[in-house]
Amino acid sequence: MTQQSLVDIAYTKIRENLINATYMPGLFLSENGLAKELNMSRTPIRVAISRLESEGYVSSIKNRGIIVKEISMKEMLDIAQVIFFLQEFSVDEIVAKRDSFNLEELKMYLDLQLEAEKNKEYIHYVQNSILFTRCMVSSTNNKIMLEFMDSLKDKFVRMAVVNWKLTPNQKHYSANQINKLIYEAISSEDYSKAKQIGKEYLSKWRKSIINTNAL
């Protein structure tokens, strides 16, 4: 196996553990520990960590190791707001181009998130909830916007899962009803309603995050 392949494997596995909150914020990691865990040398680990540091997931601290970065309330709110703007942009683009959303794919992600919440599979619920929004953005055929969405998608999942693990006894905000209403509005081509629902969701989600972090 090539060195680059090992770097890609290390990067993917460490990143996955960061996103699903196996590695929680504040946790110290070490190159030696990660190398042992992934059964490889420290060199690909070091390169993978450098990539993850540039993406804002971890920080290297001299003589102490690698720390998983905390997620601030401002970062949570900023990411949620940008994702909402991308969702709103997708609606405006569809209207301007007189195009249509991929209703079949949207329904698939909606059903998957509903099923995941029913089965109490929180991580899968969050993943499919944000993939619903990603599907809206992908319908615009705007590659740059989609890449931007993808850069935020995993961070959104991470912050939701971290928040869920830190507050296990709280009732967590669900996007199921919101996405159902957005899907119904899009299906009936009531795009103004779809945008209004999105605005209401952002407002409620912001309040949920502020209330949680105020405890």
Side-chain angles (χ1 to χ4, degrees):
M1 188 175 292
T2 67
Q3 187 71 13
Q4 184 57 46
S5 296
L6 289 172
V7 169
D8 291 338
I9 290 171
Y11 168 81
T12 299
K13 290 188 175 181
I14 297 170
R15 193 174 189 273
E16 183 178 286
N17 284 336
L18 290 164
I19 291 168
N20 65 24
T22 298
Y23 301 151
M24 288 288 284
L27 177 69
F28 273 96
L29 304 169
S30 70
E31 289 182 4
N32 285 335
L34 290 169
K36 184 176 180 180
E37 180 181 334
L38 299 180
N39 193 29
M40 60 179 66
S41 70
R42 291 172 54 188
T43 302
I45 298 294
R46 189 176 300 118
V47 178
I49 288 297
S50 178
R51 287 172 62 180
L52 291 164
E53 190 167 15
S54 70
E55 293 176 7
Y57 287 103
V58 299
S59 291
S60 295
I61 301 177
K62 190 175 180 180
N63 299 324
R64 294 193 65 187
I66 305 143
I67 188 169
V68 179
K69 291 187 70 173
E70 300 284 349
I71 306 171
S72 68
M73 183 172 70
K74 184 178 187 307
E75 183 179 8
M76 292 184 189
L77 296 176
D78 286 350
I79 289 174
Q81 188 169 34
V82 172
I83 288 175
F84 161 71
F85 285 150
L86 291 174
Q87 185 182 66
E88 190 173 48
F89 161 81
S90 72
V91 176
D92 288 337
E93 281 291 282
I94 290 296
V95 172
K97 295 178 179 178
R98 297 184 179 182
D99 207 338
S100 61
F101 288 101
N102 187 332
L103 294 178
E104 183 177 346
E105 191 172 356
L106 283 173
K107 184 64 164 59
M108 177 188 72
Y109 288 127
L110 178 59
D111 288 345
L112 286 171
Q113 80 176 74
L114 293 172
E115 184 67 18
E117 186 170 79
K118 179 181 176 181
N119 295 332
K120 297 182 179 180
E121 298 172 339
Y122 188 79
I123 294 176
H124 291 150
Y125 152 72
V126 174
Q127 289 172 333
N128 286 294
S129 172
I130 196 64
L131 285 172
F132 178 92
T133 302
R134 184 190 185 279
C135 180
M136 290 180 65
V137 176
S138 69
S139 295
T140 67
N141 293 315
N142 187 313
K143 183 180 178 181
I144 301 300
M145 284 293 184
L146 190 58
E147 288 175 352
F148 190 31
M149 176 72 197
D150 284 339
S151 72
L152 297 175
K153 175 174 62 65
D154 289 341
K155 289 189 175 182
F156 180 90
V157 172
R158 176 178 179 249
M159 70 183 188
V161 176
V162 166
N163 184 59
W164 172 67
K165 287 191 173 185
L166 289 174
T167 55
N169 298 320
Q170 288 188 18
K171 180 177 175 59
H172 292 87
Y173 188 75
S174 171
N176 285 346
Q177 185 61 22
I178 297 293
N179 283 354
K180 282 169 66 177
L181 292 172
I182 289 175
Y183 176 78
E184 290 168 3
I186 288 173
S187 297
S188 61
E189 298 185 0
D190 190 345
Y191 297 122
S192 294
K193 184 177 180 180
K195 289 174 63 175
Q196 183 58 39
I197 293 166
K199 289 178 181 178
E200 292 171 2
Y201 164 74
L202 177 64
S203 176
K204 290 178 180 178
W205 202 86
R206 285 172 63 90
K207 289 178 182 177
S208 174
I209 289 297
I210 291 170
N211 289 339
T212 297
N213 283 267
L215 296 176

